[in-house]
Amino acid sequence: MRRNTILVTGGAGFLGSHLCDRLLGDGHEVICLDNFFTGTKGNIEHLIDHPRFELMRHDVTFPLYVEVDQIYNLACPASPVHYQHDPVQTTKTSVHGAINMLGLAKRLKCRIFQASTSEVYGDPSVHPQTEDYWGNVNPIGPRSCYDEGKRCAETLFFDYWRQHKLEIKVARIFNTYGPRMHPSDGRVVSNFIVQALKGEPITIYGDGAQTRSFCYVDDLIDGFIRLMNSPKELTGPVNLGNPNEFTIKELAELAIDMTGSKSKLVYQPLPQDDPRQRQPNIRLANDELGWKPIVPLRDGLRLTIGYFERLLSLQSKAVLAPFGI
């Protein structure tokens, strides 16, 4: 395999750090770019001394001048807690970030990958969701900074493909979980595991009957690599996610069972525009990439719970250390 120099924007985030691991493991040189708004150095500290790894603190809303062979554009807050904290900056990250990275790819004549999202489908009226579904998105709601920002980024990618013949790859990512998730990002998997480990009530929004499909991070990253290196005619968008569907209540009960927690379920009102169903149709990924998830939910949760147990233990020791305990 040819060794490439590969830029990963958002490389210190949950998905980005796992992608950096995989690319280095495949023998490539990696430039990890992050402004550390949601990414953390802890996610990539094990890579700092790697001879083929370089870390850059930079915000994609500003132009960047580097020489690379491929670009993975992952930069953007991806959880409602984080992207609603500064919705204007979230939209800028998606739109200005796409413009800047596409401009860089155009100058370098290199292939570029966009980490889009199943949120482009909104609260879907089609189930499961296929790539030709245009979505049901509220353009002025509290989630629209992320939903519409990602939709606009897709528009830019396909306009650069049509107008400038740029080689693009667009992946629509469905719910993904695994080690290095942020413990307070508000996503259901991290929320439920952390609450269960702490013995706190498990917060379910709505009646818990809404469904999600959960893909383990290693499976997703394998999909990224396959899509990036697929024939140039396959631009996407391509759904990447696990089609096995679970209710939110089922996930909460599984988290309690697997952690041995005594936590109880509590119910809160459903947030505005929260989708009732989310399940990918992955026929395109399976047919064109030979890709499908292979990690069962219980196996992935076991690894994720182990990560959060270690993280909470370290946080507890850091709190007690000043008191000599």
PDB file of all heavy atoms in Angstrom, residues 2 20 39 67-68 72 84 110-111 160 166 169 176-178 192 198 247 250 253 256 264 297-298 312 324:
ATOM      1  N   ARG A   2       0.485   2.218  -0.833  1.00  0.00           N
ATOM      2  CA  ARG A   2       1.223   3.474  -0.889  1.00  0.00           C
ATOM      3  C   ARG A   2       1.049   4.249   0.411  1.00  0.00           C
ATOM      4  O   ARG A   2      -0.048   4.330   0.956  1.00  0.00           O
ATOM      5  CB  ARG A   2       0.695   4.309  -2.063  1.00  0.00           C
ATOM      6  CG  ARG A   2       1.362   5.670  -2.165  1.00  0.00           C
ATOM      7  CD  ARG A   2       0.628   6.558  -3.170  1.00  0.00           C
ATOM      8  NE  ARG A   2       1.097   7.932  -3.061  1.00  0.00           N
ATOM      9  CZ  ARG A   2       0.466   8.988  -3.561  1.00  0.00           C
ATOM     10  NH1 ARG A   2      -0.673   8.817  -4.196  1.00  0.00           N
ATOM     11  NH2 ARG A   2       0.957  10.196  -3.434  1.00  0.00           N
ATOM     12  N   CYS A  20      -7.360   8.436  13.233  1.00  0.00           N
ATOM     13  CA  CYS A  20      -5.901   8.630  13.263  1.00  0.00           C
ATOM     14  C   CYS A  20      -5.200   7.322  13.627  1.00  0.00           C
ATOM     15  O   CYS A  20      -4.182   6.953  13.003  1.00  0.00           O
ATOM     16  CB  CYS A  20      -5.530   9.725  14.260  1.00  0.00           C
ATOM     17  SG  CYS A  20      -5.969  11.401  13.743  1.00  0.00           S
ATOM     18  N   GLY A  39     -12.888  18.235  20.980  1.00  0.00           N
ATOM     19  CA  GLY A  39     -11.817  17.244  21.011  1.00  0.00           C
ATOM     20  C   GLY A  39     -10.913  17.467  22.211  1.00  0.00           C
ATOM     21  O   GLY A  39     -10.865  18.567  22.776  1.00  0.00           O
ATOM     22  N   GLU A  67       0.394  20.424   2.680  1.00  0.00           N
ATOM     23  CA  GLU A  67       0.512  19.552   1.516  1.00  0.00           C
ATOM     24  C   GLU A  67       0.144  18.132   1.949  1.00  0.00           C
ATOM     25  O   GLU A  67       0.856  17.533   2.771  1.00  0.00           O
ATOM     26  CB  GLU A  67       1.947  19.586   0.956  1.00  0.00           C
ATOM     27  CG  GLU A  67       2.431  20.978   0.581  1.00  0.00           C
ATOM     28  CD  GLU A  67       1.637  21.599  -0.553  1.00  0.00           C
ATOM     29  OE1 GLU A  67       1.309  20.861  -1.514  1.00  0.00           O
ATOM     30  OE2 GLU A  67       1.325  22.810  -0.477  1.00  0.00           O
ATOM     31  N   VAL A  68      -0.954  17.615   1.428  1.00  0.00           N
ATOM     32  CA  VAL A  68      -1.426  16.280   1.803  1.00  0.00           C
ATOM     33  C   VAL A  68      -1.946  15.553   0.565  1.00  0.00           C
ATOM     34  O   VAL A  68      -2.182  16.161  -0.491  1.00  0.00           O
ATOM     35  CB  VAL A  68      -2.530  16.339   2.884  1.00  0.00           C
ATOM     36  CG1 VAL A  68      -1.991  16.929   4.176  1.00  0.00           C
ATOM     37  CG2 VAL A  68      -3.734  17.138   2.389  1.00  0.00           C
ATOM     38  N   TYR A  72      -9.718  14.010   5.339  1.00  0.00           N
ATOM     39  CA  TYR A  72     -10.946  13.582   6.009  1.00  0.00           C
ATOM     40  C   TYR A  72     -11.466  14.774   6.801  1.00  0.00           C
ATOM     41  O   TYR A  72     -10.813  15.222   7.753  1.00  0.00           O
ATOM     42  CB  TYR A  72     -10.681  12.425   6.968  1.00  0.00           C
ATOM     43  CG  TYR A  72     -10.453  11.074   6.350  1.00  0.00           C
ATOM     44  CD1 TYR A  72      -9.186  10.685   5.920  1.00  0.00           C
ATOM     45  CD2 TYR A  72     -11.491  10.148   6.214  1.00  0.00           C
ATOM     46  CE1 TYR A  72      -8.950   9.425   5.371  1.00  0.00           C
ATOM     47  CE2 TYR A  72     -11.275   8.895   5.683  1.00  0.00           C
ATOM     48  CZ  TYR A  72     -10.016   8.542   5.257  1.00  0.00           C
ATOM     49  OH  TYR A  72      -9.796   7.286   4.721  1.00  0.00           O
ATOM     50  N   GLN A  84     -25.379  23.015  20.256  1.00  0.00           N
ATOM     51  CA  GLN A  84     -26.315  24.065  20.621  1.00  0.00           C
ATOM     52  C   GLN A  84     -25.704  25.088  21.572  1.00  0.00           C
ATOM     53  O   GLN A  84     -26.282  26.145  21.801  1.00  0.00           O
ATOM     54  CB  GLN A  84     -27.573  23.450  21.243  1.00  0.00           C
ATOM     55  CG  GLN A  84     -28.412  22.672  20.241  1.00  0.00           C
ATOM     56  CD  GLN A  84     -29.606  21.972  20.861  1.00  0.00           C
ATOM     57  OE1 GLN A  84     -29.983  22.245  22.004  1.00  0.00           O
ATOM     58  NE2 GLN A  84     -30.211  21.063  20.117  1.00  0.00           N
ATOM     59  N   CYS A 110      -6.589  16.697  -4.618  1.00  0.00           N
ATOM     60  CA  CYS A 110      -6.621  15.462  -3.833  1.00  0.00           C
ATOM     61  C   CYS A 110      -8.058  15.101  -3.472  1.00  0.00           C
ATOM     62  O   CYS A 110      -8.972  15.924  -3.550  1.00  0.00           O
ATOM     63  CB  CYS A 110      -5.762  15.606  -2.570  1.00  0.00           C
ATOM     64  SG  CYS A 110      -6.479  16.602  -1.247  1.00  0.00           S
ATOM     65  N   ARG A 111      -8.249  13.871  -3.077  1.00  0.00           N
ATOM     66  CA  ARG A 111      -9.555  13.344  -2.701  1.00  0.00           C
ATOM     67  C   ARG A 111      -9.924  13.847  -1.306  1.00  0.00           C
ATOM     68  O   ARG A 111      -9.068  13.926  -0.423  1.00  0.00           O
ATOM     69  CB  ARG A 111      -9.514  11.822  -2.746  1.00  0.00           C
ATOM     70  CG  ARG A 111     -10.825  11.144  -2.478  1.00  0.00           C
ATOM     71  CD  ARG A 111     -10.741   9.652  -2.757  1.00  0.00           C
ATOM     72  NE  ARG A 111     -10.656   9.361  -4.189  1.00  0.00           N
ATOM     73  CZ  ARG A 111     -10.791   8.141  -4.715  1.00  0.00           C
ATOM     74  NH1 ARG A 111     -10.995   7.092  -3.916  1.00  0.00           N
ATOM     75  NH2 ARG A 111     -10.709   7.972  -6.018  1.00  0.00           N
ATOM     76  N   TYR A 160     -18.706  21.276  -5.816  1.00  0.00           N
ATOM     77  CA  TYR A 160     -17.287  21.196  -6.175  1.00  0.00           C
ATOM     78  C   TYR A 160     -17.029  19.995  -7.085  1.00  0.00           C
ATOM     79  O   TYR A 160     -16.184  20.047  -7.983  1.00  0.00           O
ATOM     80  CB  TYR A 160     -16.414  21.106  -4.916  1.00  0.00           C
ATOM     81  CG  TYR A 160     -15.926  22.441  -4.424  1.00  0.00           C
ATOM     82  CD1 TYR A 160     -16.774  23.313  -3.727  1.00  0.00           C
ATOM     83  CD2 TYR A 160     -14.611  22.851  -4.632  1.00  0.00           C
ATOM     84  CE1 TYR A 160     -16.331  24.536  -3.263  1.00  0.00           C
ATOM     85  CE2 TYR A 160     -14.155  24.076  -4.182  1.00  0.00           C
ATOM     86  CZ  TYR A 160     -15.017  24.914  -3.500  1.00  0.00           C
ATOM     87  OH  TYR A 160     -14.576  26.144  -3.048  1.00  0.00           O
ATOM     88  N   LEU A 166     -13.842  17.668  -8.599  1.00  0.00           N
ATOM     89  CA  LEU A 166     -13.121  17.236  -7.403  1.00  0.00           C
ATOM     90  C   LEU A 166     -13.576  15.835  -7.007  1.00  0.00           C
ATOM     91  O   LEU A 166     -14.760  15.510  -7.097  1.00  0.00           O
ATOM     92  CB  LEU A 166     -13.397  18.222  -6.262  1.00  0.00           C
ATOM     93  CG  LEU A 166     -12.457  18.192  -5.058  1.00  0.00           C
ATOM     94  CD1 LEU A 166     -11.041  18.557  -5.470  1.00  0.00           C
ATOM     95  CD2 LEU A 166     -12.955  19.159  -3.987  1.00  0.00           C
ATOM     96  N   LYS A 169     -16.025  12.164  -1.353  1.00  0.00           N
ATOM     97  CA  LYS A 169     -16.646  11.015  -0.708  1.00  0.00           C
ATOM     98  C   LYS A 169     -17.489  11.557   0.444  1.00  0.00           C
ATOM     99  O   LYS A 169     -16.954  12.258   1.317  1.00  0.00           O
ATOM    100  CB  LYS A 169     -15.590  10.047  -0.161  1.00  0.00           C
ATOM    101  CG  LYS A 169     -14.617   9.528  -1.221  1.00  0.00           C
ATOM    102  CD  LYS A 169     -15.293   8.556  -2.170  1.00  0.00           C
ATOM    103  CE  LYS A 169     -14.332   8.043  -3.228  1.00  0.00           C
ATOM    104  NZ  LYS A 169     -14.962   7.065  -4.124  1.00  0.00           N
ATOM    105  N   THR A 176     -23.151   6.388  16.613  1.00  0.00           N
ATOM    106  CA  THR A 176     -21.919   5.616  16.829  1.00  0.00           C
ATOM    107  C   THR A 176     -21.485   5.773  18.279  1.00  0.00           C
ATOM    108  O   THR A 176     -21.681   6.836  18.878  1.00  0.00           O
ATOM    109  CB  THR A 176     -20.812   6.101  15.878  1.00  0.00           C
ATOM    110  OG1 THR A 176     -21.295   6.048  14.526  1.00  0.00           O
ATOM    111  CG2 THR A 176     -19.568   5.239  15.982  1.00  0.00           C
ATOM    112  N   TYR A 177     -20.903   4.732  18.834  1.00  0.00           N
ATOM    113  CA  TYR A 177     -20.490   4.763  20.234  1.00  0.00           C
ATOM    114  C   TYR A 177     -19.171   4.010  20.389  1.00  0.00           C
ATOM    115  O   TYR A 177     -18.737   3.291  19.479  1.00  0.00           O
ATOM    116  CB  TYR A 177     -21.565   4.111  21.120  1.00  0.00           C
ATOM    117  CG  TYR A 177     -21.668   2.611  20.915  1.00  0.00           C
ATOM    118  CD1 TYR A 177     -21.041   1.728  21.792  1.00  0.00           C
ATOM    119  CD2 TYR A 177     -22.336   2.069  19.817  1.00  0.00           C
ATOM    120  CE1 TYR A 177     -21.105   0.353  21.595  1.00  0.00           C
ATOM    121  CE2 TYR A 177     -22.401   0.713  19.616  1.00  0.00           C
ATOM    122  CZ  TYR A 177     -21.783  -0.145  20.495  1.00  0.00           C
ATOM    123  OH  TYR A 177     -21.826  -1.493  20.290  1.00  0.00           O
ATOM    124  N   GLY A 178     -18.549   4.184  21.545  1.00  0.00           N
ATOM    125  CA  GLY A 178     -17.309   3.474  21.825  1.00  0.00           C
ATOM    126  C   GLY A 178     -16.425   4.271  22.764  1.00  0.00           C
ATOM    127  O   GLY A 178     -16.783   5.370  23.209  1.00  0.00           O
ATOM    128  N   PHE A 192     -26.309   7.132  29.489  1.00  0.00           N
ATOM    129  CA  PHE A 192     -26.820   5.983  30.230  1.00  0.00           C
ATOM    130  C   PHE A 192     -25.704   5.256  30.973  1.00  0.00           C
ATOM    131  O   PHE A 192     -25.876   4.852  32.129  1.00  0.00           O
ATOM    132  CB  PHE A 192     -27.525   5.012  29.282  1.00  0.00           C
ATOM    133  CG  PHE A 192     -28.832   5.519  28.736  1.00  0.00           C
ATOM    134  CD1 PHE A 192     -29.515   4.801  27.760  1.00  0.00           C
ATOM    135  CD2 PHE A 192     -29.388   6.712  29.169  1.00  0.00           C
ATOM    136  CE1 PHE A 192     -30.724   5.257  27.260  1.00  0.00           C
ATOM    137  CE2 PHE A 192     -30.584   7.185  28.673  1.00  0.00           C
ATOM    138  CZ  PHE A 192     -31.262   6.451  27.710  1.00  0.00           C
ATOM    139  N   LYS A 198     -22.544   5.649  38.041  1.00  0.00           N
ATOM    140  CA  LYS A 198     -22.608   6.506  39.222  1.00  0.00           C
ATOM    141  C   LYS A 198     -23.796   6.176  40.112  1.00  0.00           C
ATOM    142  O   LYS A 198     -23.944   6.753  41.195  1.00  0.00           O
ATOM    143  CB  LYS A 198     -22.688   7.980  38.795  1.00  0.00           C
ATOM    144  CG  LYS A 198     -21.408   8.523  38.170  1.00  0.00           C
ATOM    145  CD  LYS A 198     -21.571  10.005  37.839  1.00  0.00           C
ATOM    146  CE  LYS A 198     -20.280  10.622  37.346  1.00  0.00           C
ATOM    147  NZ  LYS A 198     -20.447  12.075  37.028  1.00  0.00           N
ATOM    148  N   THR A 247     -35.023   0.317  20.977  1.00  0.00           N
ATOM    149  CA  THR A 247     -35.672   1.469  21.600  1.00  0.00           C
ATOM    150  C   THR A 247     -34.723   2.063  22.639  1.00  0.00           C
ATOM    151  O   THR A 247     -33.828   1.383  23.153  1.00  0.00           O
ATOM    152  CB  THR A 247     -36.997   1.094  22.292  1.00  0.00           C
ATOM    153  OG1 THR A 247     -36.715   0.269  23.428  1.00  0.00           O
ATOM    154  CG2 THR A 247     -37.933   0.375  21.334  1.00  0.00           C
ATOM    155  N   GLU A 250     -34.901   0.132  25.841  1.00  0.00           N
ATOM    156  CA  GLU A 250     -34.125  -1.111  25.799  1.00  0.00           C
ATOM    157  C   GLU A 250     -32.648  -0.842  26.062  1.00  0.00           C
ATOM    158  O   GLU A 250     -31.990  -1.592  26.788  1.00  0.00           O
ATOM    159  CB  GLU A 250     -34.287  -1.789  24.437  1.00  0.00           C
ATOM    160  CG  GLU A 250     -35.621  -2.469  24.233  1.00  0.00           C
ATOM    161  CD  GLU A 250     -35.793  -3.017  22.829  1.00  0.00           C
ATOM    162  OE1 GLU A 250     -35.196  -2.450  21.884  1.00  0.00           O
ATOM    163  OE2 GLU A 250     -36.524  -4.009  22.665  1.00  0.00           O
ATOM    164  N   GLU A 253     -32.120  -0.105  29.817  1.00  0.00           N
ATOM    165  CA  GLU A 253     -32.192  -1.335  30.620  1.00  0.00           C
ATOM    166  C   GLU A 253     -30.941  -2.193  30.426  1.00  0.00           C
ATOM    167  O   GLU A 253     -30.454  -2.825  31.368  1.00  0.00           O
ATOM    168  CB  GLU A 253     -33.450  -2.111  30.253  1.00  0.00           C
ATOM    169  CG  GLU A 253     -34.728  -1.411  30.706  1.00  0.00           C
ATOM    170  CD  GLU A 253     -35.995  -2.043  30.142  1.00  0.00           C
ATOM    171  OE1 GLU A 253     -35.879  -2.819  29.148  1.00  0.00           O
ATOM    172  OE2 GLU A 253     -37.089  -1.776  30.683  1.00  0.00           O
ATOM    173  N   ILE A 256     -28.077  -0.679  32.511  1.00  0.00           N
ATOM    174  CA  ILE A 256     -28.241  -1.031  33.932  1.00  0.00           C
ATOM    175  C   ILE A 256     -27.806  -2.470  34.174  1.00  0.00           C
ATOM    176  O   ILE A 256     -27.069  -2.774  35.124  1.00  0.00           O
ATOM    177  CB  ILE A 256     -29.709  -0.815  34.363  1.00  0.00           C
ATOM    178  CG1 ILE A 256     -30.046   0.681  34.389  1.00  0.00           C
ATOM    179  CG2 ILE A 256     -29.966  -1.436  35.734  1.00  0.00           C
ATOM    180  CD1 ILE A 256     -31.512   0.980  34.600  1.00  0.00           C
ATOM    181  N   LYS A 264     -32.533   3.747  38.597  1.00  0.00           N
ATOM    182  CA  LYS A 264     -33.925   3.662  38.169  1.00  0.00           C
ATOM    183  C   LYS A 264     -34.134   4.551  36.940  1.00  0.00           C
ATOM    184  O   LYS A 264     -33.388   5.515  36.716  1.00  0.00           O
ATOM    185  CB  LYS A 264     -34.864   4.115  39.290  1.00  0.00           C
ATOM    186  CG  LYS A 264     -34.694   3.337  40.590  1.00  0.00           C
ATOM    187  CD  LYS A 264     -35.019   1.862  40.416  1.00  0.00           C
ATOM    188  CE  LYS A 264     -34.887   1.112  41.739  1.00  0.00           C
ATOM    189  NZ  LYS A 264     -35.120  -0.349  41.562  1.00  0.00           N
ATOM    190  N   LEU A 297     -24.016  -5.260  19.769  1.00  0.00           N
ATOM    191  CA  LEU A 297     -24.188  -4.167  20.727  1.00  0.00           C
ATOM    192  C   LEU A 297     -23.614  -4.525  22.097  1.00  0.00           C
ATOM    193  O   LEU A 297     -22.924  -3.710  22.719  1.00  0.00           O
ATOM    194  CB  LEU A 297     -25.672  -3.804  20.848  1.00  0.00           C
ATOM    195  CG  LEU A 297     -25.997  -2.639  21.782  1.00  0.00           C
ATOM    196  CD1 LEU A 297     -25.321  -1.358  21.335  1.00  0.00           C
ATOM    197  CD2 LEU A 297     -27.521  -2.441  21.874  1.00  0.00           C
ATOM    198  N   ARG A 298     -23.874  -5.725  22.596  1.00  0.00           N
ATOM    199  CA  ARG A 298     -23.373  -6.101  23.924  1.00  0.00           C
ATOM    200  C   ARG A 298     -21.839  -6.062  23.968  1.00  0.00           C
ATOM    201  O   ARG A 298     -21.263  -5.600  24.959  1.00  0.00           O
ATOM    202  CB  ARG A 298     -23.863  -7.496  24.316  1.00  0.00           C
ATOM    203  CG  ARG A 298     -25.227  -7.506  24.979  1.00  0.00           C
ATOM    204  CD  ARG A 298     -25.572  -8.859  25.557  1.00  0.00           C
ATOM    205  NE  ARG A 298     -26.787  -8.804  26.349  1.00  0.00           N
ATOM    206  CZ  ARG A 298     -26.819  -8.536  27.644  1.00  0.00           C
ATOM    207  NH1 ARG A 298     -25.681  -8.305  28.297  1.00  0.00           N
ATOM    208  NH2 ARG A 298     -27.959  -8.498  28.298  1.00  0.00           N
ATOM    209  N   LEU A 312     -13.860   7.435  34.935  1.00  0.00           N
ATOM    210  CA  LEU A 312     -14.441   7.906  36.190  1.00  0.00           C
ATOM    211  C   LEU A 312     -13.524   7.636  37.368  1.00  0.00           C
ATOM    212  O   LEU A 312     -13.451   8.434  38.310  1.00  0.00           O
ATOM    213  CB  LEU A 312     -15.804   7.247  36.417  1.00  0.00           C
ATOM    214  CG  LEU A 312     -16.914   7.636  35.433  1.00  0.00           C
ATOM    215  CD1 LEU A 312     -18.171   6.806  35.685  1.00  0.00           C
ATOM    216  CD2 LEU A 312     -17.230   9.122  35.535  1.00  0.00           C
ATOM    217  N   GLY A 324      -4.931  14.627  49.726  1.00  0.00           N
ATOM    218  CA  GLY A 324      -4.050  13.563  50.212  1.00  0.00           C
ATOM    219  C   GLY A 324      -4.754  12.251  50.403  1.00  0.00           C
ATOM    220  O   GLY A 324      -4.309  11.402  51.187  1.00  0.00           O
TER     221      GLY A 324
END
